[in-house]
Amino acid sequence: MALGNKEIFSQNLKYYMYKYDVDRNALCDTLGFKYMTVSDWINAKTYPRIDKIEILANYFNIKKSDLVEKQTDKQIDILPVYNQLTDIRKHKVYSYAHPQLDEQNSNLNKKRSIYVVGTSAAGEPIEYGDFDSEMIQTDVPAKADKAIHIKGDSMEPKIANNSIIFYHEQPTLEIGEIGIFEINGSAVTCKKYYVDYNSKKIILKSINPKYEPMYFAKDQVRILGKVVF
């Protein structure tokens, strides 16, 4: 069945968001769009006005037609590389790609209520006393347990200042994953997780290069959960 205009635009928008590592929170914060409006575009529920398409095209530095016309080349541009791999390396690609597809399909956003537990820093940790909590209804990743408001720009461009992000409550993280952390039992921050095995220190790193990594003893840090998108 042929794709309609809304589906084509949705595919193209998701492609460029992935290509330039921009999530919907960052897109809304930078361009002043409403979160639900962008969500409806991504989910192919609505089609944007021409002025919004032009704004998006300028943002991604592409032509408007790249957003509104079917772009079959984007769907197969990995194949020439894949076809040049040896069978062993092809198997490695497949072994990685298949779980990624399963995770994507299991993590589709659905509109539901979720508890915003308060505010997390994207910079220096924020004390618990600064928190305001509320229940909201919005598009939520399937694996998300709670939401949290981000204050600061240390995780930009991946996570925008003043955005709301979602996380799955869990006590451990893989190296390099983005998590929500409690520091010294009194403050919260959002960072990428690393470990210095020589010094036995936990390293919390920002995405924004203007921020230096933060080092903590293991007993100073408690993992609250993994950020999900």
Side-chain angles (χ1 to χ4, degrees), residues 187-204:
V188 174
T189 192
C190 175
K191 289 287 183 285
K192 297 185 77 172
Y193 175 77
Y194 294 91
V195 177
D196 184 332
Y197 294 101
N198 292 324
S199 66
K200 298 182 179 179
K201 295 278 190 180
I202 301 295
I203 309 171
L204 301 183

Side-chain angles (χ1 to χ4, degrees), residues 12-76:
N12 291 334
L13 178 59
K14 287 187 285 189
Y15 170 79
Y16 285 108
M17 289 174 67
Y18 175 80
K19 180 177 181 179
Y20 294 108
D21 195 23
V22 176
D23 64 18
R24 70 187 72 186
N25 285 316
L27 202 65
C28 292
D29 187 66
T30 302
L31 300 180
F33 293 157
K34 293 182 179 179
Y35 185 89
M36 290 305 301
T37 298
V38 175
S39 295
D40 286 344
W41 295 342
I42 290 172
N43 295 320
K45 293 181 179 179
T46 60
Y47 188 80
R49 299 197 312 263
I50 186 63
D51 61 317
K52 298 297 190 295
I53 294 172
E54 187 169 5
I55 291 171
L56 287 165
N58 291 335
Y59 176 74
F60 291 117
N61 196 26
I62 56 176
K63 298 178 292 185
K64 292 193 292 292
S65 60
D66 291 328
L67 288 170
V68 301
E69 296 178 3
K70 189 174 181 180
Q71 308 291 326
T72 56
D73 59 312
K74 292 200 291 284
Q75 300 172 12
I76 61 173

Side-chain angles (χ1 to χ4, degrees), residues 207-221:
I207 294 176
N208 190 332
K210 76 178 184 180
Y211 289 89
E212 295 293 329
M214 298 187 294
Y215 294 79
F216 298 95
K218 286 188 176 181
D219 61 1
Q220 291 181 289
V221 177

Side-chain angles (χ1 to χ4, degrees), residues 55-112:
I55 291 171
L56 287 165
N58 291 335
Y59 176 74
F60 291 117
N61 196 26
I62 56 176
K63 298 178 292 185
K64 292 193 292 292
S65 60
D66 291 328
L67 288 170
V68 301
E69 296 178 3
K70 189 174 181 180
Q71 308 291 326
T72 56
D73 59 312
K74 292 200 291 284
Q75 300 172 12
I76 61 173
D77 59 5
I78 193 174
L79 292 179
V81 177
Y82 178 83
N83 289 333
Q84 295 178 61
L85 297 174
T86 64
D87 288 342
I88 292 177
R89 294 184 184 277
K90 285 180 179 178
H91 180 72
K92 289 181 178 179
V93 171
Y94 180 83
S95 297
Y96 176 79
H98 196 273
Q100 290 294 309
L101 179 60
D102 288 342
E103 180 178 345
Q104 173 183 290
N105 290 337
S106 66
N107 204 35
L108 294 176
N109 290 9
K110 295 182 179 179
K111 191 169 185 177
R112 61 184 172 94

